[in-house]
């Protein structure tokens, strides 16, 4: 019932919730930067994270189907 910061699924989910609460509509670039600043007030940090996000968003990844056998593995 508690989020574990050492669990990558819990950490990613909690960070996403925090960024959404800080920035609002994260599809708006200014809201996204505001969320980053709410998480860390360093301009260098915000610029670096924003650059990584843009690069990550440009990747073209193949679609992955979730298998029934592994459906319980996510979030354990």
């Amino acid at each position: 019932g508690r989020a574990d910061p050492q669990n990558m699924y819990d950490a990613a989910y909690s960070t996403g919730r925090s960024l959404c609460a800080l920035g609002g509509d994260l599809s708006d670039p200014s809201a996204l930067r505001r969320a980053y600043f709410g998480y860390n007030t360093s301009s260098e940090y915000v610029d670096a994270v924003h650059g990584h996000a843009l690069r990550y968003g440009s990747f073209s990844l193949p679609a992955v189907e979730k298998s029934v056998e592994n459906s319980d593995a996510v979030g354990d």
Side-chain angles (χ1 to χ4, degrees):
R2 287 188 164 165
D4 176 0
Q6 301 305 315
N7 178 296
M8 73 176 200
Y9 301 105
D10 288 351
Y13 179 77
S14 295
T15 300
R17 286 180 51 95
S18 177
L19 289 173
C20 287
L22 291 167
D25 179 4
L26 300 184
S27 66
D28 173 12
S30 63
L32 185 56
R33 290 185 67 84
R34 186 171 51 251
Y36 294 153
F37 272 111
Y39 193 79
N40 185 320
T41 57
S42 164
S43 293
E44 289 178 4
Y45 169 85
V46 170
D47 291 341
V49 170
H50 186 67
H52 290 303
L54 291 174
R55 188 170 45 115
Y56 182 78
S58 71
F59 292 161
S60 177
L61 302 174
V64 176
E65 289 188 39
K66 185 177 180 181
S67 69
V68 174
E69 302 88 55
N70 294 329
S71 64
D72 293 335
V74 176
D76 286 349

